Amino acid sequence: MHSTLPHSREPAALAAELEQVQSRFNAIVSNTPGLVYQFAVDAAGAVSFPYLSDGCQALLGLTAAELSGEPARFLQLILADDRKSYLDSMQASAAALWSWNWEGRIWVEAWKDVKWINLRSTPRALDDGAVQWEGIMTNITESKLEQLEVRQSRARLAELSAHVDRVKEQERTRIAREIHDDLGGNLTAIKMALAMLARRLPAADAWLQEKAGYVDALVDRTIDAVHRISLDLRPSMLDLGIVAALDWQSREFEKQAGVHCSFSANQKEIDLDLDQATALFRIFQEALTNIAKHANASRVSVKLAQTRHYVSLKISDNGGGIWQADRAKPHSFGIRGMVERANALGGSLTLSHAVGGGTVVAIKIKRDSARESLIAAAAGATIASIAPPK
């Protein structure tokens, strides 16, 4: 009797211990937000849910018993556009036995609503050739909608920025035209009248002749100033195309800054609409301004190229280079403005260190992109991502 009592108590003690472990596990699961689950795929490809916590109905609109009885219903919950990514990620996880991390949208019939869920689980191979995952699904709809709202806000700000730039360029063009036509015309008339009066002045009166010469020189300087201001506001070379405009600006920079500037293009004419050409020209101007102010360079190389779908502009200098801290300065609006203009064109702008020292500014834009089409596409994608399936 004495030898069998300990053995008779062992199963009871083990059962009590297992019950305590199960109780602790249930307590942990019940306090875990989301759905704790086990998911298995056997060698024939059949799926099952060996375990589903009580969070099943709250997350998926199905009870644990309903989903366990019909495990294929889970795939049917996933929106058609997201099913491929779900299956691809599952197969990749099963093949490599890597962690499975997937997020996508499901349609919850009980609430007639779309939810974003995140699935995180760890796989293990079973002896019968099946793969089983243990993990958790959570509702990430709120964070996803916040991300979408942030994207929409950024898109609206980018659209506003592009609109402001267009209006500003239009106003610059109007002012430049008025300065050139009105002030330039008046100054030309003044110079002609002054020349007529100067011819009637007594040749012997040196003082009057000197004053007339001074006024004539002043009119010439003013005409030059009007011409320079007009060009600064809106270079007339843009009317001849982006290639001619960038070539002209390169030569002007070389004369004014005393820095050798070479320009080359792989096409004589590059097809850009006026807004795109103007924005690219302004980026180029800002890049040259930064080189003149900060680079301490002696040589600048500018290369403009057109491919089938893109236009690229590469500006390289042999100066001191740019550092990440320079880009992060609170008042570094020049670089930010360049990036915003490139984004408004549906393109990109990158800054990198040149081989041997210096900086490379590379702009790449789509030839057929317009900001409105990008905003419309972004808005359409946002609506599609939260709309219920048809």
Side-chain angles (χ1 to χ4, degrees), residues 241-293:
I242 189 63
V243 176
L246 296 187
D247 185 27
W248 170 81
Q249 184 62 64
S250 298
R251 287 184 277 107
E252 286 294 304
F253 172 77
E254 186 171 51
K255 287 192 297 184
Q256 295 172 9
V259 177
H260 176 69
C261 185
S262 63
F263 172 82
S264 64
N266 70 342
Q267 303 284 341
K268 292 183 178 180
E269 299 289 340
I270 289 181
D271 184 22
L272 286 176
D273 64 39
L274 186 58
D275 287 340
Q276 290 177 315
T278 302
L280 188 60
F281 182 82
R282 294 303 183 192
I283 294 173
F284 182 55
Q285 281 187 316
E286 185 62 38
L288 292 181
T289 299
N290 288 338
I291 291 172
K293 286 183 177 180

Side-chain angles (χ1 to χ4, degrees), residues 110-124:
W111 302 295
K112 307 292 184 186
D113 194 16
V114 172
K115 278 187 179 181
W116 280 89
I117 63 169
N118 176 248
L119 176 157
R120 292 176 181 268
S121 58
T122 303
R124 60 188 176 93

Side-chain angles (χ1 to χ4, degrees), residues 54-72:
D54 293 337
C56 183
Q57 185 165 14
L59 181 65
L60 305 178
L62 298 173
T63 65
E66 288 174 328
L67 188 54
S68 295
E70 297 181 75

Side-chain angles (χ1 to χ4, degrees), residues 272 276 280 309-311 342 345-348 363-367:
L272 286 176
Q276 290 177 315
L280 188 60
H309 299 294
Y310 293 94
V311 171
L345 292 174
S348 62
I363 304 102
K364 186 177 182 180
I365 62 174
K366 291 182 180 180
R367 293 174 56 195

Side-chain angles (χ1 to χ4, degrees), residues 187 213-223:
L187 287 169
Y214 169 78
V215 173
D216 185 65
L218 182 61
V219 171
D220 286 338
R221 290 198 300 272
T222 306
I223 291 174

Side-chain angles (χ1 to χ4, degrees), residues 10-227:
E10 284 180 2
L14 182 59
E17 185 177 346
L18 288 174
E19 186 176 348
Q20 290 177 357
V21 171
Q22 184 66 41
S23 177
R24 288 196 296 269
F25 175 76
N26 290 337
I28 292 172
V29 169
S30 63
N31 290 315
T32 301
L35 165 61
V36 178
Y37 71 98
Q38 289 179 327
F39 175 70
V41 179
D42 66 19
V47 300
S48 62
F49 286 93
Y51 175 80
L52 291 163
S53 70
D54 293 337
C56 183
Q57 185 165 14
L59 181 65
L60 305 178
L62 298 173
T63 65
E66 288 174 328
L67 188 54
S68 295
E70 297 181 75
R73 292 182 66 180
F74 181 74
L75 183 61
Q76 297 170 6
L77 294 177
I78 300 173
L79 297 194
D81 290 343
D82 295 350
R83 286 176 192 165
K84 186 178 184 303
S85 67
Y86 168 79
L87 293 172
D88 289 346
S89 62
M90 178 180 66
Q91 291 168 2
S93 176
L97 292 180
W98 290 338
S99 295
W100 186 8
N101 184 9
W102 175 82
E103 61 182 37
R105 297 163 295 171
I106 62 171
W107 171 251
V108 184
E109 182 65 29
W111 302 295
K112 307 292 184 186
D113 194 16
V114 172
K115 278 187 179 181
W116 280 89
I117 63 169
N118 176 248
L119 176 157
R120 292 176 181 268
S121 58
T122 303
R124 60 188 176 93
L126 303 183
D127 294 338
D128 59 0
V131 177
Q132 180 169 299
W133 289 264
E134 285 88 20
I136 185 171
M137 297 183 204
T138 53
N139 183 355
I140 59 169
T141 304
E142 185 175 347
S143 63
K144 271 293 181 181
L145 292 179
E146 288 175 355
Q147 291 175 18
L148 292 171
E149 177 59 30
V150 169
R151 291 193 194 119
Q152 283 184 314
S153 297
R154 288 177 178 173
R156 287 193 291 266
L157 286 174
E159 183 182 25
L160 177 60
S161 176
H163 173 71
V164 169
D165 282 338
R166 284 195 298 271
V167 171
K168 185 165 61 176
E169 290 297 340
Q170 291 170 0
E171 186 66 8
R172 281 179 167 179
T173 300
R174 184 188 65 82
I175 294 173
R177 185 178 295 115
E178 289 187 0
I179 289 176
H180 181 272
D181 294 347
D182 294 347
L183 288 182
N186 290 341
L187 287 169
T188 301
I190 291 172
K191 184 174 178 61
M192 293 174 63
L194 184 61
M196 182 185 66
L197 291 174
R199 286 196 298 269
R200 297 187 178 185
L201 290 176
D205 195 330
W207 184 82
L208 285 177
Q209 292 288 345
E210 180 184 353
K211 290 298 180 182
Y214 169 78
V215 173
D216 185 65
L218 182 61
V219 171
D220 286 338
R221 290 198 300 272
T222 306
I223 291 174
D224 290 340
V226 166
H227 182 66

